[in-house]
Amino acid sequence: MGYARACSVALVGVEGVVVEVQADLEPGVAAFTLVGLPDKSLIESRDRVRAAVVNSGAEWPQKKLTVGLSPASVPKSGSGFDLAVACAVLGAAERLDPAAIADVVMIGELGLDGRVRPVRGVLPAVLAAAEAGYQQVVVPEQTAGEAALVPGVSVLGVRSLRQLIAILLDEPVPDEPVDGRGRPDAMLAGLMVPGTGLGAGLAPASSRGEGHTPDLADVAGQPRPRKALEVAAAGGHHLLFSGPPGAGKTMLAERLSAVLPPLTRQESLEVTAVHSVAGILPPGEPLVSRAPYCAPHHSATMQSLVGGGNGMPRPGAVSLAHRGVLFLDEAPEFSGKALDALRQPLESGHVVVARAAGVVRLPARFLMVLAANPCPCGRHSLTGAGCECPPSVVRRYQARLSGPLLDRVDLRVEVEPVDRADLLEQGGRGESTAVVAARVREARTRAAERLAGTPWTTNSEVPGHELRTRLLAAPGALAAAERDLERGILTARGLDRVLRVAWTVADLRGAPRPEDRDIAVALELRTGIQRGAPMEMGAL
């Protein structure tokens, strides 16, 4: 009887569980049994592993073979267990030293010819292995850069099972030919899910053309929405643009991700892990360093927004936009069920998806931007534009954005039509993305210094209790906000969000704490009521 074990990782959402792959050989009729809650693709690994071992020059054991995946209560899915299963079988057959593979985590799919193909979710899998105390990881060569992002782990990238056997036996490593016929590398197909990428709204539409980088200077006029965009980026505040078609709502939203500061190391690892699991991590770019941008179509279902799918839930748009921008264009056209499902992640920064196969907690701390027309035809707010929508239709259309959802939106700005002078640049071009991004970085630095030693990094994350007891505004600055609270214009949550925005406005000015004019700007951006606050470019 022969026995050996290796290790691999099962992904549950974006979290990994180290799985012990055990192989046992017994005398009897040749058979291959795989146990431990495998899914369909993992059950098929029996045929893939057998063909890969034989085509790699090793002998397949003609005995009763049982492979167990422990812990057996955790569902296992995907083809990333192939490499560990093959090595465990060869260890049980004494082709490899069982002690040499017992504490090695192996992740990768095997082709029938023995080549090791990359799989999705390598980064969260290696993170889980490191947290469990494992120090040696074997991954496909194409994902070695992604795995090497985890500190304290020795990463070995292999191209074939034949190479891995030679390394474990301390034999000369054979060279594997690379397809150099100019075709796309077929080995990278496992990293990308068909239907994702640009077509799924994972990049600004204006950035998909070659030779042009979207810039805020391209936006004609709109000083108030531009300033609201800057405040949203500086403090991480959610934003609503409402106005007629063609006023520039989408252009402004598409340029927000470029205004946000680069991701920190920890944030980059979080975003990269989600994108790796979702299959949208571009090959050759193992680490996401810029804030992501996700703009799902208004026909998106609730499951595509918050996460779901058959079996274990997969990340949705709110998780793909983690630490970045989630842009919902034509927001009233989304289903009410899908929009209201955003309430939990807007408050908590994560989403919990419960399905029959299990419960998954996915990160979802994003900056939401909504764009809405005033009515179905879009001309309701224009004077003399000929809007024929009945008042009941206008009310019903605007009510599609529920009150509880809008109460979680810090900034609500009316985008006015662009006049001729602004459109023809007679009034001069606005500030560029680089200029605004520099001010945003300075404001975030001030907020980070003030919040040092707390679990929060941006003003939008600070609880209201802290704003009312420890981080106090200037004496008498809250008088206008208190009057709005008494009149019912603001809710208790709305007052807290006004305070958060006021702190961001003060950070943009370089002030030590909010004053009455900062509160006035925050109230005007939230309620839309004109209060004479300075909102022109550079006024803050």
Side-chain angles (χ1 to χ4, degrees):
M1 183 180 71
Y3 171 84
R5 64 184 177 91
C7 295
S8 191
V9 178
L11 290 177
V12 182
V14 294
E15 299 177 354
V17 178
V18 176
V19 173
E20 192 175 87
V21 180
Q22 305 167 344
D24 178 71
L25 284 173
E26 297 179 1
V29 179
F32 189 169
T33 304
L34 183 64
V35 297
L37 286 184
D39 70 342
K40 181 65 175 176
S41 62
L42 186 49
I43 291 176
E44 293 174 349
S45 68
R46 295 179 300 185
D47 300 315
R48 289 195 303 269
V49 170
R50 182 187 294 110
V53 169
V54 172
N55 291 327
S56 297
E59 182 180 353
W60 184 260
Q62 298 300 317
K63 295 182 179 181
K64 181 181 178 181
L65 171 62
T66 302
V67 174
L69 307 176
S70 179
S73 59
V74 177
K76 290 89 178 176
S77 61
S79 56
F81 295 86
D82 289 2
L83 198 58
V85 171
C87 290
V89 171
L90 291 175
E94 297 183 353
R95 179 69 174 86
L96 297 176
D97 182 8
I101 62 174
D103 294 324
V104 180
V105 175
M106 302 180 184
I107 305 165
E109 175 187 334
L110 286 176
L112 299 184
D113 57 354
R115 289 183 299 172
V116 181
R117 303 179 64 93
V119 294
R120 300 187 299 272
V122 168
L123 177 60
V126 178
L127 284 170
E131 292 176 359
Y134 291 87
Q135 299 178 347
Q136 293 181 313
V137 177
V138 179
V139 297
E141 186 181 54
Q142 293 86 346
T143 58
E146 182 181 344
L149 297 173
V150 181
V153 176
S154 175
V155 177
L156 173 63
V158 294
R159 193 174 298 171
S160 67
L161 178 61
R162 191 179 300 108
Q163 287 185 341
L164 179 57
I165 293 174
I167 293 172
L168 293 174
L169 295 177
D170 198 17
E171 297 176 353
V173 180
D175 292 331
E176 295 292 341
V178 180
D179 187 2
R181 285 173 283 187
R183 298 190 304 231
D185 190 356
M187 298 289 285
L188 299 177
L191 296 178
M192 298 293 290
V193 176
T196 60
L198 299 181
L202 295 171
S206 54
S207 68
R208 301 171 197 169
E210 297 181 359
H212 175 71
T213 302
D215 196 289
L216 267 177
D218 301 332
V219 181
Q222 306 296 1
R224 188 180 300 271
R226 288 171 61 102
K227 186 52 61 178
L229 196 78
E230 181 178 341
V231 173
H237 306 287
H238 306 303
L239 176 62
L240 167 64
F241 285 137
S242 59
K249 302 186 295 293
T250 303
M251 285 187 67
L252 286 163
E254 288 178 342
R255 284 150 178 79
L256 177 56
S257 59
V259 178
L260 295 174
L263 301 178
T264 64
R265 175 74 177 185
Q266 180 61 33
E267 293 171 346
S268 294
L269 291 176
E270 294 175 5
V271 175
T272 303
V274 175
H275 287 201
S276 178
V277 170
I280 61 173
L281 191 63
E285 298 182 17
L287 187 65
V288 179
S289 59
R290 295 296 306 174
Y293 173 92
C294 186
H297 192 260
H298 61 259
S299 61
T301 62
M302 183 188 73
Q303 289 77 12
S304 68
L305 283 181
V306 300
N310 296 328
M312 290 302 294
R314 298 182 61 82
V318 296
S319 297
L320 300 182
H322 180 58
R323 301 296 181 183
V325 177
L326 176 66
F327 176 45
L328 302 183
D329 201 3
E330 305 293 345
E333 300 295 341
F334 283 80
S335 70
K337 184 179 180 181
L339 289 175
D340 288 337
L342 299 177
R343 298 184 194 176
Q344 177 195 1
L346 286 176
E347 287 290 332
S348 62
H350 65 267
V351 58
V352 178
V353 183
R355 295 291 185 270
V359 180
V360 172
R361 184 180 186 272
L362 300 169
R365 187 168 296 282
F366 55 89
L367 197 164
M368 183 180 69
V369 181
L370 304 175
N373 294 326
C375 67
C377 75
R379 300 190 297 270
H380 179 69
S381 60
L382 300 178
T383 304
C387 175
E388 298 179 354
C389 299
S392 59
V393 173
V394 175
R395 288 195 301 270
R396 188 160 53 248
Y397 184 81
Q398 295 178 351
R400 292 181 180 178
L401 299 179
S402 65
L405 177 65
L406 290 180
D407 200 34
R408 290 166 167 84
V409 178
D410 300 345
L411 311 173
R412 309 172 192 174
V413 182
E414 185 74 24
V415 182
E416 302 291 342
V418 183
D419 57 26
R420 180 176 58 87
D422 289 332
L423 191 61
L424 299 179
E425 298 185 4
Q426 296 176 359
R429 288 170 61 88
E431 291 180 321
S432 65
T433 298
V435 174
V436 177
R439 287 203 299 267
V440 168
R441 285 194 298 270
E442 293 176 1
R444 288 219 173 189
T445 300
R446 295 188 185 97
E449 293 174 353
R450 181 175 63 253
L451 299 174
T454 69
W456 317 295
T457 56
T458 59
N459 293 322
S460 62
E461 303 172 8
V462 182
H465 176 74
E466 292 288 324
L467 297 172
R468 294 189 299 270
T469 58
R470 190 171 67 87
L471 301 175
L472 299 176
L478 291 177
E482 293 171 354
R483 287 196 298 268
D484 285 358
L485 181 64
E486 293 176 354
R487 296 170 182 171
I489 300 176
L490 287 179
T491 62
R493 181 192 288 118
L495 178 62
D496 291 343
R497 293 185 176 273
V498 166
L499 289 174
R500 296 171 184 170
V501 175
W503 271 106
T504 302
V505 175
D507 289 336
L508 286 170
R509 288 197 306 111
R513 59 179 177 174
E515 301 175 357
D516 52 356
R517 58 174 175 173
D518 301 321
I519 299 293
V521 171
L523 286 171
E524 187 167 334
L525 289 175
R526 179 170 179 86
T527 64
I529 301 174
Q530 300 292 331
R531 302 171 188 269
M535 299 293 292
E536 289 74 17
M537 298 308 299
L540 295 184

